Amino acid sequence: MRRTCQSLAVAAGLLVSAVAVPVATASPASAATAHCKDYLKREGYTVGAKVSRSCAVGSLGKQYASSCVDMLKSLDVWTSQAKRACYYAWHE
């Protein structure tokens, strides 16, 4: 019986860790992604799944900025606005 309780406690601890670590590490990227999306929304663009994905790519770091810009440009976002949005995505 004691071994069963220990196993359950270990399993619960692992589950909490599996959920807590990604949530804790995702917060800064989520804030940056939100900044990117908010900027584009203020500029009059519709923010849907494709824009969200573009901003998420940009939030991965400066090395992904050109991919972010290209993705937004393919959605008819002006180059200057795409660059600024992707800057917001990684510079947060």
Side-chain angles (χ1 to χ4, degrees):
M1 183 70 129
R2 182 180 163 119
R3 182 166 271 182
T4 302
C5 289
Q6 286 176 336
S7 297
L8 288 174
V10 169
L14 290 174
L15 179 62
V16 169
S17 297
V19 172
V21 170
V23 169
T25 59
S27 295
S30 297
T33 300
H35 195 178
C36 173
K37 293 188 298 186
D38 288 345
Y39 168 74
L40 290 169
K41 193 175 204 176
R42 282 192 312 273
E43 292 298 319
Y45 295 100
T46 301
V47 176
K50 292 178 182 178
V51 168
S52 295
R53 275 194 298 275
S54 302
C55 289
V57 167
S59 73
L60 296 175
K62 186 176 181 178
Q63 65 272 26
Y64 295 98
S66 63
S67 296
C68 174
V69 171
D70 291 341
M71 291 170 75
L72 289 173
K73 284 174 47 180
S74 76
L75 300 173
D76 295 326
V77 175
W78 289 3
T79 302
S80 61
Q81 292 170 330
K83 287 180 179 179
R84 179 164 295 209
C86 294
Y87 172 82
Y88 289 148
W90 67 262
H91 196 264
E92 194 64 29

